[in-house]
Amino acid sequence: MNPNTQIILRGYGSVSGGNDALIVIDDVISTAGTFGSLDPNIIESVNVLKGPVGAALYGSSGGNGVIIVTTKKGSKEGKLTIDLKTTKTLETIAYLPNRQDRFGQGYQGDLDWTDQGSWGPEYDGSQQVVGIPFPTSSDWRLGTYEHIDDHISPFFNTGIEDQYTISLAAGNAKDGYANLSVNHVDTEGLVPGDERVRNFFNFSAGKKLGKWNIKGIARYTAVDSDTANGNSYFDLSQSASNIDITRFSSGNNRDHWTLYADSPYWNLRNRRTDAESNRFEGILDLSYAVNDNINVVLRSGVNSFSSNSVAFRNAYNETDPYILNLFDTSIGSAYSSTGSYSRRLYTDLLTNFNYELSENISFNGLLGYNMTGSEFVQRQITGSDFAIEGFYDVSNLNLVDDPTEDKSKRRSQSLMASAEFGYKNFLTVLLTGRNDWLSQISKENRSAFYPSASVSFVPTNAFTDIKGKWLNSAKIYGGWTQVATGNAVSPYSINQRAFSPTGFPFNGTGNSFVSVSSLTDQNIVPETVTTIEVGTNLDMLKVNGIPRINLDVAYSHQTNEDQILGVTPSSTSGLQSASINVGSTTTNAFEIDLGFTPIKTENWEWNARVGYSTYETIVDKVTDQSDRVSTTTIDGATRAIVAQVGEVFPAIAGTAYTRDEEGRIVIGADGNPIRSSELKILGQVAPDYTINFNTNVKYKGFTLGATLDYRTGHQFYSGIANNYAFIGASVESAVNGRKPFILPNSTVQGSGVTNTTVLTGGNTAASFQNYFADVYRSIDENFVFDATAIKIREVALSYSFNQNVLDKIGLTKLNVGIAGRNLYTFLPKENRGYNDPEIGGGLSNYSTTPPTRSFALSVNVAF
Amino acid sequence: MRKIKNYILTAFTIAAVSTSCDSYLDVNEDPNNPVLSQITPNLLLAGAQKFTTDTYVITANRLGSTFSGAWGGNVAQTADPFGNEFRYNITSTFFDGLWDNWFIRTANFSNIVNYSGEENYSNHKAIAKIQRAFYSQLLVDLYGDIPYFERHLYTELLQVPYDEDTVIYQDLIAELDSAIDMIANNTGAIEVGNEDAIFDGDMSLWTKFANTIKLRVVVRQSNVISTADAQTILAGLTESDFIGFNEAVTFNPGYSKENDRQTPFYNSYGFSADGQSVRNQLIAPTIYSLEVLDGTKSSVNDPRLNTMFTTDNASGYTGIQQGQTLQGFDATNGISNLGTGFGVDADSEANATRDAIIMTVAESFFLQAEASFRGYLTSGNTQNSFDNGIRAHFQMLGNTPAEANTYIANINTVNGFGLAGGNQLEAIMMQKWIAMHTFGGVEAWLDMTRTGFPDDVPLPINQTRTERPVKLLYPNSELQGNTNNVPSIQNTDDAFVRTIFWN
């Protein structure tokens, strides 16, 4: 419901994260969120710069590729046009993990109406007590002891999203223009009661006044949401499959199927967050044409964001404790109010030069200066024990904690220069240089310089005789680029600070301070990424006026030095985490994109595009003291994402089975497999390759399109599979009827032969459960699965009414369309629908809802 | 051309002038937190003490009390209480917080010791040395070889090499002696005030604490140290040099009944500050705990039964065996929980503000008793120290001195409980086990490992192993963050193998 998009163009070059492409809208750095809010109808063009070439102009954040978006200025013919669009989207659960269907609610082989697990006896269709007696402790409820398929789905609603957009445009760039776009989105989530409203306003206007050209943009986004806290998907999954959860839906915390957790229905009403946020962006763009060759641009903008959220938990008073007054699950109330504000101010001062140095040689130059400052403040008040129920305000709390406040500031300055030389119409050489100064790095190290040089050659313009039906146009390009970035260093982190821990000042001691346990090396320097790339674009087979085949091939080789790594050091150093400058990785990426238009006639058109891309990042060095660092760890777990010398990055590491030379699992005399003596690399996060395919067929006004992709060669760890093993829901745990079994391909330690006699799992229900819940679960290898997936991302059918019909009604456009998104996902057998492998960065767990698919109907009118 | 030149020059000048304004970029001083190097030891002490105490009181007590057979779990309140502890599911994530918290938080003591300012903070440094040695000993006792000599260097050394347990133990004595020395020669040193939430700046008590830790270091080596060596280390020390009555090593910075300010044991195992969250239902006494107090094992009624545990619904006492499930448990009378003596029986201001205990008076006396028994303390008197240990425990729980004396008289001849009963070591260890119940859990477990006494504490039900664990496994953070130095991952079986030099 709250989408956080991440757009990654070419792989995971940086170990420390920050691999997203930069979004630039109308020459100004923006965010993926704003891009997503823009009405597609006001977008003039989207230009994708893969690779680091955009860094010179946009700074180090552009080092992973830049998506340059330009919005329309005015309307096509200058007069006022109005564009209206409405879309209704329905969202439903796409798939749920497979569960075993033989055993129900219970513990250690016995029925247990209090338990969250499925370790009970085999299903037999009999009537058994299910859940806690409710409303009083003698109101026992009976249910049929049998498996219910997908028993948690009834909890979720169908998500509904209604979107309305209106865009007005008038004028043109030369005589003056104004564009206004308003977008309203109303969402009801899958989790009952979750609501979100977003309003977005985008106004831009400009006019040319003699030598001056003035443009202004104002954007405002307001989001209001009311959501349940916690994770309903997880809570619901902690139930055996014989439980009809709709029977426990009254919302009373004791009307539940287990004693040991709060009711998810109770949570919906009593643990919620009310949040609102506002973002304002204002940009002023002033340019002055000094003469025909020189043009100066001053661009200044502010991007300010503020948010307020109130989260509360109502108290629950246990009035009828169960089991002889031993069990009181009263919960206290709690409150938390957070307000944050951030602002970014930046100014660009650029001078563009445009000269014809000679008849054949052209020159485009740029000299520029940028200064950017951001600041952030967050304040939080928490407390507990409401005096009056249902009134959520600090004044209503009986116990208020000390408020907290957090401020941070960062600033940068940059100088940039670029020179592009063109020879006739076929050869271009581009040289750039940029120097950044960053406030968050120490004075001695804060300056970073990075140049680039690239060439592009269009042989079909140089040698016009090769241009013909078969080769319509060709371009070959290559470049060497360096980008230095220090964005991974947080403000203030290079100083070893001390903080006053929670609770201080105490009455007796007054205030006191302890050292932080997270530190950045004070001598840290920016990391440097050097990329060499070559590629070609070919347009071929010109038939009926358009090239029918186009081919893009690109190869790049990238080395990343002095990587700024956030690592988990030994806690004996006094630190829980440290950010240091070491490590280097090498990335090789190769992409080939083939577009073809097999059919193009007056009525029919068929386009298709196939892309193949592969990239691989290998770690060359980690630190002087070690070959491996963990970059993502989970509290209390052995699995981690690691960077290890010689291995692909990111890699999944964890515990594994000890195996002998023949690959047999080594078990002890008690039948339990023995865990490996070190953490092993269990898989890679990034796919070996990705194939994407999209196609559309047009007939008269109809367009039918589809997009799908296939990625393979990678793995992921499923936290859901781990949880299923613990609660007895996993298919593996029921395979042998829960009788002790011979572990396939195993060998007893020291025996040297394949095991055919020693049983695993003990000989009681309790020992079998312990085997799965403890031994099996402690081996991370068991939960690493093939992350291969074929996803049908979208199938869309639309119809555009033709000009004749439109003229009669007085419209300029009328489109209707339906689309299905995330329609189907094909997963390999071993991934039993546990997780969508794309979510989680390699370590997947429960999201707030299972994976979903959606269907949208939209109508678009313009006049 | 001139105009162009002018414009280019102007553009550049603006740029140049702006970049020379370094002050624009000088915004990297944290407005939220001061820099560590500027903070004097008196402002670092209380925070350092608090975190390490919290881990001892909440985590170490839990580890020791479950492993020593003192605590059972209330199965009517929680599914699978203390499941990992009772199933001996010991892995690199089992209690890994103990290692992480103690190492990271004792770095604050190192920061005090290494404070390089001009003023004379030798009192504060001595306190930091003593406390650091206290926790370092426990880390060696729980893990064996640990990083020690090169720890706490922050970003200067992120992957720290391991040192041998025997060498570390020797250094502990040296550190304690150095601290005692600093206190003895502390003229001109800045006085310690209420920033010391343990002894309020009374340096003579710190000396006593240092001596008591030395005593513990020596007694811990009872299986490997020669009597002569022990006597040398403890030469000249008498009862008045150790922690005595009313000198318990306790921490209280001014606890209050507010969120994040309650005494730690109560906060975790009692009630939340607003009383809404009830946490004192989890722990129940093991049947063994009741049997050693209610006369079943000793034929003497121990009045500590009333203060250590609460009565059940039938005004009697019901305990539960470790690992017992709800299915086989007779819950007709309800179940007992921890009592008034531990301050978690009721939601009250008094309970919420109790001192947090690091070392009890009883522990000091029992160490002296054992040391006298073994001949390490030549000036010691085993019987006196033994009786005082019992008296000190009665006092801590809130039982009367009269009750203590009656009990001491009655228990004297009971085998395994009193010194005149036959097996003196067994008696000392049994009474110490009772005195270390809950508030000294980790000591009870380490003593059982070292001496084998008490030897009749049952293992958890359904436990297929025949022995108790004797140590912990190196934690996850070491496997992930100290790959070149940490001994390879151990399996659960390794937790039962005696590799620490003293066990």
Side-chain angles (χ1 to χ4, degrees), chain A residues 402 407 497 503 570 625 637, chain B residues 30 32 87 253 261 476 478 484:
Chain A
D402 292 338
K407 313 178 271 288
R497 294 152 292 162
S570 169
Q625 300 145 341
Chain B
D30 190 345
N32 305 301
R87 286 198 297 277
R261 291 208 171 104
N476 216 16
E478 283 296 288
N484 281 7

Side-chain angles (χ1 to χ4, degrees), chain A residues 9 61 126 317 395 407 419 461 555 611 643 656 694 727 757 772 836:
Chain A
L9 289 177
S61 343
S126 59
N317 291 314
S395 59
K407 313 178 271 288
N461 284 349
Y555 168 75
N694 66 50
I727 60 176
T757 50
F772 259 94
D836 177 349

Side-chain angles (χ1 to χ4, degrees), chain A residues 509-556:
Chain A
T509 59
N511 212 346
S512 184
F513 297 87
V514 294
S515 167
V516 292
S517 57
S518 176
L519 192 56
T520 299
D521 179 2
Q522 65 174 134
N523 297 318
I524 204 155
V525 299
E527 63 184 66
T528 318
V529 181
T530 310
T531 313
I532 298 175
E533 57 177 339
V534 292
T536 176
N537 310 121
L538 301 170
D539 279 339
M540 303 189 287
L541 197 60
K542 191 165 176 178
V543 176
N544 283 354
I546 57 155
R548 296 305 195 90
I549 300 178
N550 57 54
L551 181 65
D552 286 324
V553 181
Y555 168 75
S556 74

Side-chain angles (χ1 to χ4, degrees), chain B residues 200 217 288 291 484:
Chain B
D200 227 18
V217 169
Y288 182 83
E291 286 175 345
N484 281 7

Side-chain angles (χ1 to χ4, degrees), chain B residues 42-245:
Chain B
N42 59 320
L43 287 173
L44 293 173
L45 188 57
Q49 292 178 330
K50 177 192 190 291
F51 276 112
T52 46
T53 304
D54 284 348
T55 304
Y56 184 85
V57 168
I58 300 170
T59 315
N61 277 339
R62 174 179 167 138
L63 172 67
S65 299
T66 47
F67 275 2
S68 67
W71 287 358
N74 182 355
V75 287
Q77 190 251 11
T78 309
D80 203 31
F82 302 119
N84 284 330
E85 289 89 329
F86 296 158
R87 286 198 297 277
Y88 292 160
N89 191 17
I90 302 171
T91 59
S92 58
T93 52
F94 181 77
F95 277 88
D96 58 348
L98 201 64
W99 171 291
D100 292 334
N101 286 336
W102 268 344
F103 266 108
I104 293 175
R105 303 310 181 189
T106 50
N108 291 308
F109 289 128
S110 293
N111 291 334
I112 295 174
V113 172
N114 297 332
Y115 176 74
S116 56
E118 298 173 333
E119 316 87 323
N120 184 347
Y121 277 103
S122 65
N123 278 332
H124 294 81
K125 293 187 180 189
I127 294 176
K129 278 197 180 215
I130 294 169
Q131 289 206 265
R132 189 174 64 175
F134 176 89
Y135 293 108
S136 299
Q137 183 197 3
L138 285 173
L139 284 164
V140 175
D141 293 338
L142 293 171
Y143 294 94
D145 293 345
I146 59 170
Y148 178 81
F149 289 105
E150 292 180 273
R151 68 199 161 160
H152 299 164
L153 295 176
Y154 293 102
T155 44
E156 276 180 43
L157 190 62
L158 292 175
Q159 310 229 344
V160 189
Y162 278 61
D163 298 303
E164 273 184 50
D165 46 11
T166 42
V167 179
I168 298 172
Y169 251 61
Q170 285 162 7
D171 192 69
L172 290 175
I173 301 284
E175 278 287 291
L176 291 164
D177 281 337
S178 149
I180 294 170
D181 202 53
M182 283 163 83
I183 297 174
N185 299 316
N186 68 352
T187 39
I190 296 179
E191 290 204 4
V192 183
N194 59 6
E195 67 266 24
D196 169 15
I198 293 180
F199 288 134
D200 227 18
D202 184 343
M203 300 313 290
S204 66
L205 289 179
W206 280 104
T207 306
K208 289 194 182 188
F209 185 33
N211 284 328
T212 316
I213 301 174
K214 266 171 69 172
L215 178 62
R216 190 161 88 180
V217 169
V218 169
V219 171
R220 194 87 87 207
Q221 299 176 73
S222 63
N223 292 333
V224 296
I225 197 171
S226 71
T227 315
D229 286 340
Q231 285 176 351
T232 314
I233 299 174
L234 300 173
L237 295 174
T238 65
E239 187 178 294
S240 60
D241 292 308
F242 300 112
I243 295 289
F245 284 105

